[in-house]
Amino acid sequence: MSTHEKVNILMVDDQPSKLLSYEVILSELDENLIKAGSGREALEHLLKTDIAVVLMDVSMPELDGFELAEIIHQHPRYQRTAIIFISAVHLTDLDRLKGYQHGAVDYIAVPVIPELLRAKVSVFAELYRKTQQLERLNRELEQRVAERTAELQERAETLQQLNVELQRRNQELDAFTYIASHDLKEPLRGINNYAQFLIEDYAEKLDDEGRQQLGAIQQLIRRMEDLLNSLLHYSRVERAELSQKELDVTQVVREALDQLQARLQGERVQVRLPQSLPTVRGDRAQLIEVFTNLLSNALKYNATTEKRVEVGVQDATNGGPPVFYVRDNGIGIAPEHHEKIFEVFRRLHARDAFGGGTGAGLTIVKKIIERHGGRIWVESTPGEGSTFYFTFGTGEKIKTEE
Amino acid sequence: MSYGPLLIVEDSDADFYAMKRALGNTLPCEIKRCITGSEALDYLFRRGSYTEAVCPPLVLLDINLPGMDGRAVLAQLKQDPTLKGIPVVMVSTSDNPADITHCYTAGCSGYLVKPLDYDRLVTSLQTLCKYWFRVVTIPQTGN
């Protein structure tokens, strides 16, 4: 026989000779054969071991086969245990078992035909084995599903925790920037005041060099104040709630130009809008700030006598968001600086060259664009000009922050 | 008109000195300084060592104070039936719109952002005090 997992077959009969003959008949099946001389003994075996098939004589003293079958089938564990009766009695007696026919019940008439007995027991043993296998597989599968689910759940929880942590750190960082720039201003104001008082009260006791040095201190203080204000502004841009509306970008650019009017006057500047610009969803004030920053940079970093700036939108590309651009004929940016220019307080030129500034403008522009779900990048040829490209959003609807 | 002292609640010595200097002798009254929020409340509610305190015609209240901050002091003053009549002008480094709105909602009579530049501080403070002491009429306080 094949190397199958042996199952237990319980043979119940009060006559040892019969048990012996069943044993002989069934030994070929290569299963575990257990003998019981009475109903009670059979029950004891059933309590101790898993039984696949019960083979029993109907007429036994004390507990007969039908009574035993009832007891067996009442036990939840044995409801499906196959019972084969060996009986000389009438078939009608089997009706008594109808109420308990959850499990397989069969019978063999005497005289027992060995092949038939073997065949029946073999079928039930195989059925038991297959059911067991199926149950085991099911359990394994269920366990694997449970394990995988737990694993996924754990990962989701970790991710959630990381998100919470990240959010908390971001808030802390924001709060830090905000508090730092406020608290740093106070001593700075004190330094400035006392420098002023020194000039006012002791001017005549100081020589020119002393007064010059005090002037230098005050200049540095003003620079520090500019830096702190930029930092403060940057943190505010990040913290401010966005009020998202559908905005006509042409209108936004016009408002930005209005704000820059003072600078546009008195210089030879040509600002072109070759086509009307589409609408986007965004925060009006922040979008205007993007354009005032980019436009003022376009004019600032421009040494030509005929300054030209063009604001436009690229042809729509396969469903993506509209790509706006601000192009100038200014001094341009070397390729190695294309990323650096977006870093906070990063300036590429001497402190007072090109009208000075703290170097926070492009950082703020980038922050605003990122808050709107978009991105910004630059293409530039030094000496010929720069073009800043940017989008607001990914082309899908931006979710409105609450 | 005689007034009680102008109350300045300011923890920073440098800032208090600058304010005092900026006002010079332009005030029709003396200046009383409190360093913390709870000291200011003791003074105004005449508690502790301040049982003889004279009610100020105007309070200049710094927002950033150690312990109880200026917002909390303002809230307590505006809850008191007698003291809520005293005009309180907030003085702060913060020009944060949220701070400004908060203080006006809580009942302050003005909000002065401390300028970095001393000359601007002089102009601001002198204009402010001219307004409260010479332009508008405020309740007679003091004994």
Side-chain angles (χ1 to χ4, degrees), chain A residues 43-96:
Chain A
L43 284 174
E44 273 169 34
H45 281 294
L46 279 162
L47 287 175
K48 280 186 289 190
T49 33
D50 281 327
I51 304 295
V53 186
V54 182
L55 182 66
M56 68 166 105
D57 190 8
V58 172
S59 49
M60 287 183 291
E62 286 179 56
L63 201 59
D64 79 12
F66 290 143
E67 285 166 330
L68 182 60
E70 267 187 55
I71 295 170
I72 293 173
H73 278 171
Q74 268 167 7
H75 194 291
R77 202 167 124 206
Y78 295 114
Q79 272 175 2
R80 285 162 205 280
T81 302
I83 297 174
I84 302 171
F85 294 107
I86 297 173
S87 170
V89 295
H90 323 288
L91 281 174
T92 48
D93 281 348
L94 285 170
D95 292 346
R96 284 175 60 191

Side-chain angles (χ1 to χ4, degrees), chain A residues 178 181-183 185-186 188-190 192-194 196-198 200-201 221-222 225 229 232 236 239, chain B residues 10-15 17-18 21 62 64 93-97 99 114-119 121:
Chain A
Y178 192 69
S181 27
H182 266 117
D183 290 357
K185 267 191 174 183
E186 195 192 299
L188 190 67
R189 194 170 51 237
N192 189 49
N193 286 344
Y194 283 105
Q196 178 79 21
F197 302 155
L198 267 177
E200 284 178 7
D201 299 349
I221 290 165
R222 273 190 287 280
E225 194 198 17
N229 281 339
L232 205 60
R236 213 172 276 168
R239 289 147 55 102
Chain B
E10 172 59 77
D11 63 312
S12 151
D13 288 341
D15 278 359
Y17 176 72
R21 182 175 168 125
D62 187 19
N64 262 324
T93 312
S94 165
D95 59 351
N96 181 6
D99 281 342
K114 291 178 186 173
L116 184 81
D117 184 64
Y118 176 69
D119 290 336
L121 179 73

Side-chain angles (χ1 to χ4, degrees), chain A residues 285-353:
Chain A
Q286 293 210 342
L287 256 57
I288 290 174
E289 183 158 3
V290 165
F291 281 101
T292 48
N293 264 311
L294 291 176
L295 286 166
S296 87
N297 277 350
L299 301 173
K300 239 161 103 175
Y301 301 102
N302 195 324
T304 56
T305 46
E306 293 270 349
K307 299 181 182 180
R308 286 198 308 277
V309 185
E310 183 179 307
V311 183
V313 65
Q314 282 190 318
D315 291 337
T317 45
N318 49 37
V323 177
F324 298 94
Y325 65 85
V326 174
R327 179 172 298 138
D328 63 56
N329 63 338
I331 56 170
I333 303 155
E336 64 267 29
H337 294 139
H338 285 189
E339 297 282 333
K340 282 188 193 150
I341 50 171
F342 295 106
E343 292 169 12
V344 74
F345 297 148
R346 170 69 74 169
R347 278 181 57 81
L348 302 179
H349 308 283
R351 185 151 294 167
D352 297 319

